[in-house]
Amino acid sequence: MKKLKVAILGATGMVGQKYMSMLSNHPYFEISTVTGYKSVGKTYSEAVQWIDQIPLADKYADLEIKSNEPKSVNADFVFSALPTDAARKVEPDFANAGFPVISEASAYRMNDNIPLLIPEVNPDHVDLIKKQNTSGYIVTCPNCVVAGLAVVLKPLYEKLQINKVIINTMQAL
């Protein structure tokens, strides 16, 4: 089976590194492009201050950091690990250039035409993609607390009709 080529926008940051780790030996995806801002032109190993527990796969150490522009990306789709402000500017450019964009940023989470997708909870939200006026599209991921909580609460809601949950998170700690 031919692997799909993926680009990771913002690959040198903490979230980008997690994508690198998760996708480095994936059976369906091959990382073809990594992007950044200050590190364009460097190799990935030169640009990144690796902090992930899983060592960087050798096969990606020499990938050249490309600019965050669609013309510099060779991929079937894009995972965006960009900070929110950068995502707000860059992700629509990729969607307009025909790329499917899976975003970790909060920039478009509340947009009516962009799915905030948790596949185990709301797979039907993928239908919102049809309302986007681009040749590609953007799909957003919820923050880490919401994703885990929604997966746990959905069956409880379906069984017990829960209508209110109070939660306190201390993510900064």
Side-chain angles (χ1 to χ4, degrees), residues 22-87:
M22 292 187 317
L23 297 175
S24 64
N25 292 309
H26 199 282
Y28 305 119
F29 305 125
E30 183 67 34
I31 301 166
S32 60
T33 308
V34 291
T35 75
Y37 282 110
K38 298 175 186 171
S39 53
V40 173
K42 294 181 180 180
T43 65
Y44 189 73
S45 62
E46 290 172 332
V48 72
Q49 293 181 335
W50 193 257
I51 58 173
D52 199 85
Q53 297 281 335
I54 300 168
L56 172 64
D58 291 339
K59 63 184 174 181
Y60 299 119
D62 291 330
L63 273 179
E64 181 182 346
I65 304 286
K66 302 290 185 178
S67 65
N68 284 309
E69 299 172 1
K71 66 181 180 185
S72 66
V73 169
N74 173 23
D76 298 307
F77 65 96
V78 171
F79 288 111
S80 176
L82 293 171
T84 297
D85 289 341

Side-chain angles (χ1 to χ4, degrees), residues 73-129:
V73 169
N74 173 23
D76 298 307
F77 65 96
V78 171
F79 288 111
S80 176
L82 293 171
T84 297
D85 289 341
R88 191 172 286 113
K89 297 172 189 168
V90 172
E91 291 173 357
D93 292 342
F94 278 88
N96 287 324
F99 289 96
V101 177
I102 312 303
S103 177
E104 293 292 333
S106 63
Y108 296 102
R109 285 184 182 154
M110 302 308 289
N111 186 300
D112 290 341
N113 296 334
I114 296 178
L116 179 61
L117 190 63
I118 306 170
E120 300 84 357
V121 175
N122 62 350
D124 56 312
H125 285 209
V126 169
D127 293 340
L128 291 173
I129 291 170

